[in-house]
Amino acid sequence: MALTRLGSQVRDDQVIGRYLTGVVCVNAERLLWKDVAGGFVNLKEVFGEELKAAGFRPDSEPGDLFADTKNANTDLQVGAMVRSVDATYCDTDLGALTGSMTLTVQWQIYSTLRREVVATIETTGAVKNAKLARKQQVRSLGQLAFAETVKSLLSDAHFRQLVTSPDPGGSSVVGSMAPRTPIRLVGPRGGAPVNMAQASGSVVAIFAGSGHGSGALISSEGYILTNEHVVGTATTVRVRWSDGLETTGTVERTDKRRDVALVKTSPRGREPLAVSRTVPSLGAPVFAIGTPLEPNLQNTVTRGVVSATRIIDGFNFIQSDTPVTHGNSGGPLLDEKGVVVGITHSIIDPTKGSALNFFIPVGDALDFLALETPAA
């Protein structure tokens, strides 16, 4: 677990309390948010310390200089939004500085497994008459109050049920998903390489809602592999083949974590594409087939090379300069023999000086959807 986002809905000029001075602290001045915001520093470290004290595992040890680079291993990412603050400082001018603060924070809990915000929880923490070091050799008042809101979050019944439930049905956002019965795919009849013209006949455009994506036939029984974000929440989709004819497809399985989905439709006698878990070596030529931008551009073929393999948010990706864009999502990445090695996933905007794109290794798709097929 890691605290990865911080924000505030309190305005800089908003009055959030009083600053009292004098021997008995009777002289009052208005306290603005901008006057205390500087005390909200190192909150990620405070968060990690409270996690550890409560028996949870932070993504890194407090003080780790490379914590931000390790979020790929983090099950949950947490965002904190300061909603309100009420503070009082008492400065006696005799070397004693005390403070009280009540802090309300809205937490958003993001599951890297499910790739979505799974909970929004609001907690309030308070610290009373805390003795403060003027040089902040101990926690500042803001850090102390923030620590109390963290404790409230970690003791929240909904939060604890969400992250610790042993139920394999998925109520735990960090536990394993319910096991699926494997589907044995029936692959191509022959093992001979296919050219891109032949392969194109087994690549489809998929229409769900107002958008479209692409997909690849990987079984003679009509199973099509695509992205989860292509089918969304639809249970049925429209599948258009390279000759323009359409069939109805049912969404059999999805996995939002890995952004993969399985659709079943009538294969219309088309030969399925072979798949391979082996990622081509760096520099090897690869080809993408899909429906970029507009439906009338269906079965566009582009060519590039494997640029790298990457781990992003804990998942493997094939990086390539093969040109793809919106609408290519879910379409296959093929090697020179016409074998599917990846699924189009995301693009890096070429206007930013890059033509690098990311593809899901097909082996990951098979594993996350519990599909079995002979490797090519």
Side-chain angles (χ1 to χ4, degrees), residues 3-184:
L3 181 67
T4 58
R5 297 287 189 275
L6 293 166
S8 173
Q9 292 181 330
V10 185
R11 302 189 317 273
D12 282 349
D13 60 351
Q14 185 170 328
V15 178
I16 54 90
R18 299 178 301 163
Y19 190 90
L20 307 176
T21 59
V23 176
V24 291
C25 286
V26 294
N27 302 321
E29 297 180 13
R30 294 191 311 167
L31 195 63
L32 306 180
W33 169 246
K34 64 182 179 181
D35 297 326
V36 303
F40 288 83
V41 296
N42 299 328
L43 293 188
K44 293 183 180 181
E45 186 168 328
V46 173
F47 187 82
E49 290 173 353
E50 295 301 330
L51 281 181
K52 199 170 183 180
F56 291 90
R57 181 169 60 86
D59 69 329
S60 63
E61 290 296 317
D64 186 346
L65 296 177
F66 296 96
D68 289 343
T69 68
K70 298 178 181 178
N71 287 338
N73 298 321
T74 300
D75 297 308
L76 297 176
Q77 295 184 13
V78 181
M81 178 70 73
V82 175
R83 298 293 300 275
S84 66
V85 57
D86 183 10
T88 300
Y89 286 83
C90 176
D91 188 347
T92 64
D93 297 328
L94 298 176
L97 178 64
T98 61
S100 299
M101 180 178 288
T102 300
L103 185 68
T104 298
V105 173
Q106 183 191 81
W107 307 92
Q108 290 190 20
I109 316 300
Y110 177 83
S111 169
T112 57
L113 193 68
R114 297 187 181 182
R115 293 177 177 268
E116 62 182 352
V117 174
V118 293
T120 300
I121 300 171
E122 188 168 285
T123 65
T124 298
V127 58
K128 302 292 185 182
N129 300 319
K131 293 182 179 180
L132 304 174
R134 293 183 182 277
K135 294 184 179 180
Q136 295 187 356
Q137 294 173 337
V138 295
R139 284 182 176 178
S140 68
L141 186 60
Q143 291 172 329
L144 290 171
F146 183 77
E148 294 302 314
T149 65
V150 177
K151 291 174 183 176
S152 297
L153 171 68
L154 300 181
S155 62
D156 181 85
H158 176 54
F159 176 83
R160 295 190 71 89
Q161 190 276 334
L162 189 71
V163 302
T164 64
S165 169
D167 177 14
S171 59
S172 170
V173 295
V174 296
S176 60
M177 301 296 285
R180 288 168 163 165
T181 302
I183 296 176
R184 179 73 176 178

Side-chain angles (χ1 to χ4, degrees), residues 303-327:
R303 183 180 189 275
V305 300
V306 174
S307 306
T309 55
R310 305 286 184 196
I311 297 178
I312 302 173
D313 291 336
F315 292 109
N316 297 313
F317 285 94
I318 301 170
Q319 179 182 311
S320 174
D321 63 349
T322 305
V324 291
T325 188
H326 305 289

Side-chain angles (χ1 to χ4, degrees), residues 360-375:
I360 301 167
V362 75
D364 280 18
L366 299 178
D367 292 340
F368 276 77
L369 295 172
L371 307 178
E372 297 180 352
T373 184

